[in-house]
């Protein structure tokens, strides 16, 4: 049934009207947030910035996406930092993983900052996978920022400003403050709603610990928090007296037999001991970049949501640094240096390398991890050649971790893990053929062939991927070697083909190769 033009216009008008109303609501809710300057106490700024991470967002539809490294859960190390053969999604690379584990341990203990680590190796040897494993091992408490070396050329700001923001995103500030809370188990809750349906709600709640039990009167705001968190008898809750925030900690162990009131995700906790009202130390962790944005923009929090941070003046950063250092000396804050991971580091130019060389000497500098698959190549922005395309003075500052090519057995294990991650059933013969293809072509090509082969098998309503599916995909999609061979065989049929280098440049490359062998 087709809709009339008038109906379509009415629908478009409704959509536009809803967008305008929603925008107005956002602006109205942001009025109390947009006037934040350095005159405002830093503790207030940090507290409100930390609350951003606690905003609950509920999607209408949940879409699960499988990334190239979504199967990685950590570095796969034991208690003595020895790498297991296959663990937490990583396979092989034991030496590199052990070295990365030592770096992670030093970052956790705060004994390493302002250092630079280089992950160097051939393509498809797990450099980015190790970096993702380090991020998983560090957890959410340690800031971890990931970027590509080519990103800085596409941002609407200069290169050094982009690097400055990335560095400050990787530096956390842990602010400590004490707050009064009420913590206990809900025994009974009563909420009285007005008969007319409008007006303020009133209620009472009985909360207990192992030592005492008390009744509290509930106001309209607390009742709304109770209804939002779906608080019921038997829940262990915590109420912040200053803000009125209600948090559900879990269900009491005494209600563990109430199967109707629990699900697979239910968390059971012990009933708290001691008094109901107590003082608790709360730690808020934010990054220096978030504080920079709040203080440099009139609509600081809106800029955080929109991502439109722009360039930030150095004067503001200096004032924030001095304030944070003052709090650090008073024991109110701790600096938590995180990790900045720069993939494709050879894409950075000499200006970026010089800036990083100087920035690493700062008192508040994170651990910088770079990854590259380049050999001896030109430093971007110069005519000089250097190992990995990185200046010698910065290489001298780096700790270099080498990755080695995977063996055939390790490649087969990686493909098996990827099949499990993508929920694809594959038989033994097809897995062996796919492993042989990965050895002859590349691991990336074989991993990308898993999804396409799975779709081919689904088309013929098969329960698992077979050798015929792998052969079908191999014939349909070319790898890099076969594509290059076709280019050479049919070069006359393509436009602007040129595989020859100027003679002078060829001689220069040969001379540099001979010098490297001599050295």
């Amino acid at each position: 049934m087709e809709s009339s033009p008038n109906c379509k216009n009415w629908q478009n008008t409704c959509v536009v009207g809803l967008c305008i109303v929603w925008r107005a609501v956002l602006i109205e809710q942001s009025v109390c947030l947009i006037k934040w300057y350095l005159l405002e106490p830093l503790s207030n700024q940090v507290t409100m910035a930390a609350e951003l991470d606690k905003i609950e967002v509920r999607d209408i539809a949940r879409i699960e996406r499988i990334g190239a490294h979504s199967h990685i859960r950590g570095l796969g190390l034991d208690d003595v930092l020895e790498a297991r053969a296959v663990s937490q999604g990583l396979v092989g690379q034991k030496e590199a993983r052990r070295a990365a584990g030592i770096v992670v341990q030093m970052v956790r203990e705060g004994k390493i900052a302002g250092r630079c680590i280089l992950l160097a190796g051939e393509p498809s040897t797990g450099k980015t996978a190790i970096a993702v494993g380090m991020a998983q091992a560090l957890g959410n408490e340690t800031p971890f920022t990931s970027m590509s070396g080519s990103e800085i050329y596409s941002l609407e700001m200069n290169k050094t400003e982009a690097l400055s923001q990335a560095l400050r995103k990787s530096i956390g500030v842990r602010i400590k403050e004490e707050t009064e809370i009420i913590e206990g188990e809900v025994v009974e809750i009563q909420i009285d709603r007005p008969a007319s349906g409008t007006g303020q709600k009133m209620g009472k709640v009985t909360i207990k610990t192992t030592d005492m039990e008390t009744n509290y009167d509930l106001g309209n705001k607390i009742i709304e928090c109770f209804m939002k968190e779906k608080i019921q008898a038997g829940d262990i809750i915590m109420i912040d007296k200053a803000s009125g925030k209600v948090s559900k900690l879990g269900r009491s162990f005494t209600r563990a037999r109430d199967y109707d009131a629990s699900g697979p995700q239910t968390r059971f906790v012990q009933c708290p001991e001691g008094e109901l009202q107590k003082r608790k130390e709360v730690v808020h962790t934010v990054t220096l970049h978030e504080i920079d944005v709040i203080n440099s923009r009139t609509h600081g929090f809106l800029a955080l949501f929109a991502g439109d941070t722009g360039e930030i003046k150095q004067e503001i950063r200096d004032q924030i640094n001095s304030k944070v250092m003052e709090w650090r000396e008073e024991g109110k804050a701790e600096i938590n240096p995180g990790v900045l991971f720069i993939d494709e580091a050879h894409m950075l130019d000499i200006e970026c390398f010089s800036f990083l060389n100087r920035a690493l000497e700062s008192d508040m500098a994170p651990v910088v991890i770079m990854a590259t698959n380049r050999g001896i190549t030109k430093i971007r922005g110069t005519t000089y050649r250097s190992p990995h395309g990185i200046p010698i003075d910065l290489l001298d500052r780096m700790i270099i971790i080498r990755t080695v090519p995977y063996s055939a057995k390790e490649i087969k294990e990686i493909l098996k893990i990827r099949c499990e991650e993508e929920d694809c059933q594959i038989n033994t013969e097809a897995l062996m053929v796919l492993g042989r293809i990965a050895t002859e072509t590349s691991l990336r090509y074989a991993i990308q062939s898993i999804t396409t082969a799975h779709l081919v098998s689904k088309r013929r309503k098969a329960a698992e991927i077979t050798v015929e599916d792998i052969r079908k995909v191999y014939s349909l999609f070319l790898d890099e070697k076969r594509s290059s061979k076709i280019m050479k065989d049919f070069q006359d049929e393509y436009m602007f083909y040129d595989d020859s280098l100027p003679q002078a440049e060829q001689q220069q490359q040969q001379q540099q190769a001979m010098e490297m062998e001599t050295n």
Side-chain angles (χ1 to χ4, degrees):
M1 178 177 177
E2 297 183 358
S3 58
S4 63
N6 293 333
C7 183
K8 290 183 178 180
N9 293 335
W10 178 80
Q11 291 175 352
N12 294 334
T13 304
C14 288
V15 172
V16 173
L18 287 173
C19 292
I20 294 174
V21 171
W22 177 245
R23 185 177 179 184
V25 170
L26 286 178
I27 294 175
E28 182 179 358
Q29 292 179 347
S30 304
V31 168
C32 61
L33 301 177
I34 60 178
K35 294 184 178 180
W36 280 46
Y37 304 95
L38 285 173
L39 296 178
E40 186 74 15
L42 184 61
S43 59
N44 295 344
Q45 299 177 19
V46 171
T47 302
M48 292 188 67
E51 290 297 325
L52 290 176
D53 297 332
K54 301 178 182 179
I55 296 177
E56 183 179 14
V57 180
R58 295 183 179 178
D59 296 332
I60 297 176
R62 182 170 177 260
I63 301 176
E64 293 186 0
R65 296 188 181 274
I66 300 174
H69 302 97
S70 58
H71 62 285
I72 297 175
R73 307 290 184 265
L75 288 173
L77 305 175
D78 57 17
D79 296 336
V80 293
L81 299 182
E82 290 291 334
R84 304 184 184 95
V86 180
S87 180
Q88 295 184 325
L90 289 180
V91 179
Q93 305 292 348
K94 291 186 177 181
E95 296 297 327
R97 286 160 56 196
R98 188 189 308 170
I102 295 174
V103 173
V104 167
Q105 191 68 22
M106 290 190 291
V107 171
R108 284 175 178 169
E109 297 177 359
K111 296 181 179 180
I112 178 171
R115 306 290 180 87
C116 195
I117 293 101
L118 177 65
L119 295 172
E122 297 88 336
S124 299
T125 53
K127 297 180 292 296
T128 307
I130 291 176
V132 173
M134 294 177 69
Q136 295 287 346
L138 288 170
N140 297 326
E141 292 296 324
T142 303
F144 188 96
T145 306
S146 178
M147 66 178 297
S148 174
S150 57
E151 286 183 27
I152 61 173
Y153 302 106
S154 58
L155 299 175
E156 296 180 355
M157 61 183 72
N158 61 59
K159 294 174 286 188
T160 56
E161 175 64 21
L163 287 174
S164 295
Q165 292 190 12
L167 287 168
R168 293 179 75 83
K169 285 179 183 178
S170 308
I171 303 172
V173 182
R174 304 179 65 184
I175 304 297
K176 302 177 182 177
E177 64 176 4
E178 286 189 351
T179 181
E180 291 188 0
I181 62 170
I182 299 174
E183 187 177 19
E185 178 184 344
V186 177
V187 179
E188 184 182 4
I189 180 171
Q190 297 178 353
I191 298 177
D192 299 327
R193 297 176 174 83
S196 61
T198 59
Q200 292 196 358
K201 306 179 185 70
M202 300 297 292
K204 293 183 179 180
V205 64
T206 304
I207 304 177
K208 72 170 185 178
T209 63
T210 55
D211 299 333
M212 61 183 299
E213 181 175 318
T214 308
N215 297 325
Y216 292 96
D217 293 328
L218 301 179
N220 193 50
K221 181 180 177 182
I222 300 295
I223 290 175
E224 290 180 359
C225 294
F226 270 59
M227 296 175 65
K228 180 181 177 182
E229 295 291 333
K230 299 179 181 178
I231 303 298
Q232 57 184 340
D235 289 339
I236 306 296
I237 65 171
M238 182 179 68
I239 304 175
D240 190 341
K241 294 182 66 176
S243 62
K245 186 178 185 302
V246 180
S247 302
K248 183 193 290 188
L249 305 180
R251 293 282 293 173
S252 174
F253 271 112
T254 58
R255 303 296 182 111
R257 296 183 178 273
D258 297 345
Y259 298 106
D260 295 338
S262 63
Q265 303 298 327
T266 303
R267 178 187 176 191
F268 292 98
V269 295
Q270 293 285 357
C271 182
E273 300 177 352
E275 297 185 357
L276 280 166
Q277 300 188 33
K278 60 190 75 172
R279 297 187 65 86
K280 184 177 181 181
E281 186 181 74
V282 180
V283 179
H284 304 288
T285 303
V286 293
T287 64
L288 285 178
H289 176 68
E290 292 173 344
I291 304 176
D292 294 342
V293 174
I294 291 170
N295 288 282
S296 62
R297 298 287 179 270
T298 306
H299 303 270
F301 275 94
L302 294 180
L304 278 176
F305 282 117
D308 182 19
T309 58
E311 296 191 7
I312 300 172
K313 294 181 180 179
Q314 186 60 37
E315 293 81 5
I316 295 177
R317 289 194 175 119
D318 292 339
Q319 294 177 23
I320 291 173
N321 289 345
S322 61
K323 190 67 176 179
V324 171
M325 294 303 293
E326 178 183 338
W327 275 59
R328 182 183 181 184
E329 293 176 358
E330 295 175 359
K332 298 179 180 178
E334 294 180 359
I335 305 297
N336 186 18
V339 175
L340 170 61
F341 174 62
I342 304 177
D343 203 358
E344 299 176 353
H346 52 270
M347 294 299 296
L348 301 177
D349 60 8
I350 189 64
E351 181 182 354
C352 298
F353 287 128
S354 300
F355 176 80
L356 288 173
N357 210 354
R358 178 68 181 87
L360 290 173
E361 298 176 355
S362 173
D363 294 336
M364 292 190 294
V367 177
V368 178
I369 300 177
M370 298 185 184
T372 180
N373 56 14
R374 293 295 193 271
I376 300 174
T377 184
K378 281 185 180 180
I379 303 172
R380 187 164 181 167
T382 69
T383 58
Y384 299 101
R385 294 181 178 272
S386 176
H388 313 297
I390 300 174
I392 299 297
D393 56 344
L394 184 58
L395 275 175
D396 189 45
R397 186 189 292 270
M398 289 181 170
I399 302 173
I400 301 176
I401 300 175
R402 181 173 181 264
T403 57
V404 296
Y406 291 107
S407 64
K409 182 179 179 181
E410 292 171 345
I411 289 176
K412 182 179 177 181
E413 192 66 36
I414 292 172
L415 293 173
K416 183 178 179 181
I417 293 174
R418 288 302 304 177
C419 288
E420 294 175 357
E421 178 69 15
E422 299 185 21
D423 198 16
C424 301
Q425 299 294 329
I426 184 170
N427 59 29
T428 306
E429 294 79 8
L431 185 60
M432 292 179 61
V433 172
L434 193 61
R436 189 161 59 249
I437 291 175
T439 306
E440 295 174 356
T441 58
S442 69
L443 180 59
R444 289 193 178 101
Y445 175 79
I447 290 175
Q448 292 167 359
S449 300
I450 294 174
T451 304
T452 52
H454 180 57
L455 293 175
V456 171
S457 66
K458 287 177 63 178
R459 290 282 294 177
R460 58 183 184 85
K461 298 181 180 180
E464 60 182 8
I465 300 173
T466 61
V467 177
E468 288 74 15
D469 300 323
I470 300 296
R471 289 174 179 171
K472 180 70 173 177
V473 170
Y474 185 77
S475 63
L476 289 175
F477 302 99
L478 300 178
D479 60 275
E480 181 269 335
K481 292 182 180 179
R482 287 185 292 163
S483 179
S484 299
K485 186 178 184 302
I486 291 175
M487 293 296 103
K488 292 180 180 179
D489 294 342
F490 300 94
Q491 56 179 306
D492 297 335
E493 300 180 16
Y494 288 87
M495 297 178 62
F496 310 117
Y497 179 85
D498 184 12
D499 63 344
S500 61
L501 290 173
Q503 187 174 3
E505 188 171 351
Q506 289 183 357
Q507 293 178 354
Q508 184 180 4
Q509 287 185 357
Q510 293 176 359
Q511 184 178 359
Q512 289 181 350
M514 292 174 62
E515 290 177 357
M516 292 297 298
E517 291 179 359
T518 304
N519 295 333

